[in-house]
Amino acid sequence: MANAVTSVCCVVLAALVVVFAQRRSQQGGRIQYEKIGSDVTMQCGSLGDEASVTWKVNGTDVKARQVQEGPRLVLMEVDPSSNGLYSCFENPNGERRDQIILRTGTPPTEPAVTCRSNTFPNGFYCSWHLQRPTNIPTDFEVHVKHNQKTLEVQRDPVHKNRCHVKFPQLFSTFKYRVNITAVNALGRASSGISFDDYSIVKPDPPEKVVATPVPKNVRRLEVTWNSPSTWPDVENFPLKYFLRYRPLIREQWQHVELSDSTAHTITDAYAGKEYIIQVAAKDTEIGTWSDWSVAVHATPWMEEPKQITSTTEAEAILETTPSPAPPSAKPQLGSPLGGSSALLWSSHLLLASVLLSVMW
């Protein structure tokens, strides 16, 4: 048993050593980025053309389509399966002379850029994404200008492809210009947009939407909500709201636009039907409507059904109710039909008959 445990421990330890060695060797290798579909040439260190070498990939023989030219390995039409750690060993002593980590990918395309202000009048943010992945590390350069001045850009700590910019002034007649450049080892591509500050204003959806039935009213629902917490100054930059609702049994929405109220009573709900309700927000003068809030569900108030006893049920109750036990019939002394009186009378008659028979 001890020998078996020792053998297992040795195997596990050997595996860990191999993994560690591979990771250590990969860390020491230089990275070579190449475009998918191209022919790739890898040079074994500084060896001359007359050198003879053997190439390995991830510790095994190279099986991809290839051509070896002295110390160089040429891979034909590489793809993501060609990625790996390539090592070259000088013949005949087998000394390792170089390591290359091959990573295949594509140059970036023009980023798609959008900008929005959900914290007006404080500032705005811009986000971007590539139309297709590059499969290799890609960075982004961000430049924002307003009235020929470069503005400070803060990269978002959570969202990699997002930045934040403060408004230098409000209701400016000059447009903002945002340029995003995608850069990786295989190329670079840029795109940009221009806009007025008021055109990108779009609040976040209202929060904490609650719908409750109105007691004693079968067609009313009371809906309340809060303005979005990201909107910094509701007093000076008020919001208006758009409420939509429908019963689950129908597809058509009903709409109500409200000035600056954060409550509304639905008065035309169908009795007993469950409703779905959402709210959107918008600056009262500029920008566009927010996305819809999280949907809430509610059903108008319904009266509790009362239990009614029918005539048939009442008759059944009367028929099945047991009658009270009759009072016990106690014998009455002197009653001609009582049991003890009848026996006494019979005994008197018998005694008289006996006396008469003796006398005769």
Side-chain angles (χ1 to χ4, degrees), residues 222-225 258 261-265:
E222 186 72 27
V223 186
T224 60
W225 59 89
L258 306 167
S261 174
T262 55
H264 177 72
T265 301

Side-chain angles (χ1 to χ4, degrees), residues 58-339:
N58 299 327
T60 62
D61 294 337
V62 179
K63 297 181 181 179
R65 285 201 306 133
Q66 57 174 294
V67 175
Q68 290 196 30
E69 300 173 349
R72 289 177 292 275
L73 172 67
V74 180
L75 300 179
M76 315 301 292
E77 299 181 349
V78 295
D79 58 33
S81 67
S82 306
N83 293 342
L85 175 64
Y86 290 80
S87 304
C88 60
F89 303 86
E90 186 176 12
N91 297 325
N93 57 10
E95 180 184 357
R96 189 179 70 192
R97 300 302 300 267
D98 200 2
Q99 284 188 307
I100 300 172
I101 300 174
L102 179 63
R103 292 288 180 266
T104 60
T106 59
T109 56
E110 294 183 357
V113 186
T114 58
C115 295
R116 172 189 168 204
S117 176
N118 63 336
T119 59
F120 190 83
N122 291 352
F124 63 94
Y125 70 87
C126 295
S127 57
W128 55 89
H129 67 275
L130 297 177
Q131 302 294 335
R132 65 171 183 266
T134 61
N135 297 317
I136 60 175
T138 301
D139 294 325
F140 297 92
E141 300 172 357
V142 183
H143 300 280
V144 181
K145 285 190 174 183
H146 175 258
N147 191 19
Q148 304 303 317
K149 296 180 180 179
T150 300
L151 302 182
E152 181 182 357
V153 175
Q154 293 183 343
R155 299 297 289 266
D156 193 287
V158 177
H159 304 281
K160 174 185 176 182
N161 296 351
R162 180 179 292 186
C163 70
H164 299 267
V165 182
K166 291 183 178 180
F167 283 121
Q169 65 183 94
L170 294 180
F171 307 114
S172 170
T173 58
F174 296 97
K175 291 182 178 294
Y176 291 81
R177 176 69 184 178
V178 178
N179 285 292
I180 308 294
T181 303
V183 183
N184 66 21
L186 302 179
R188 59 193 296 127
S190 299
S191 63
I193 59 173
S194 298
F195 54 84
D196 295 303
D197 53 6
Y198 60 83
S199 66
I200 62 169
V201 175
K202 180 182 179 181
D204 288 328
E207 302 172 356
K208 299 181 179 179
V209 181
V210 178
T212 54
V214 178
K216 307 298 182 180
N217 198 307
V218 297
R219 301 201 63 187
R220 295 195 174 201
L221 289 170
E222 186 72 27
V223 186
T224 60
W225 59 89
N226 291 350
S227 59
S229 58
T230 51
W231 196 255
D233 192 355
V234 180
E235 294 297 327
N236 294 315
F237 296 90
L239 297 174
K240 60 181 179 180
Y241 301 96
F242 203 57
L243 183 144
R244 71 175 185 176
Y245 59 97
R246 66 175 176 85
L248 293 183
I249 60 173
R250 299 186 62 182
E251 295 295 331
Q252 185 177 1
W253 292 92
Q254 294 172 271
H255 300 87
V256 178
E257 186 171 336
L258 306 167
S259 56
D260 57 355
S261 174
T262 55
H264 177 72
T265 301
I266 298 172
T267 60
D268 57 351
Y270 289 115
K273 301 300 181 183
E274 182 180 354
Y275 271 73
I276 180 172
I277 302 163
Q278 292 178 291
V279 187
K282 178 186 177 300
D283 183 275
T284 55
E285 296 182 1
I286 59 176
T288 58
W289 286 100
S290 73
D291 296 331
W292 290 107
S293 65
V294 176
V296 296
H297 294 249
T299 303
W301 176 85
M302 290 185 294
E303 186 176 3
E304 292 291 336
K306 297 180 179 180
Q307 185 174 359
I308 301 176
T309 304
S310 65
T311 305
T312 305
E313 291 175 343
E315 293 175 352
I317 292 174
L318 291 175
E319 290 176 358
T320 56
T321 302
S323 301
S328 58
K330 294 183 179 180
Q332 299 293 328
L333 294 177
S335 172
L337 297 179

Side-chain angles (χ1 to χ4, degrees), residues 324-358:
S328 58
K330 294 183 179 180
Q332 299 293 328
L333 294 177
S335 172
L337 297 179
S340 301
S341 300
L343 291 174
L344 184 59
W345 181 255
S346 299
S347 61
H348 289 170
L349 290 177
L350 180 58
L351 180 58
S353 300
V354 171
L355 291 175
L356 288 174
S357 60
V358 171

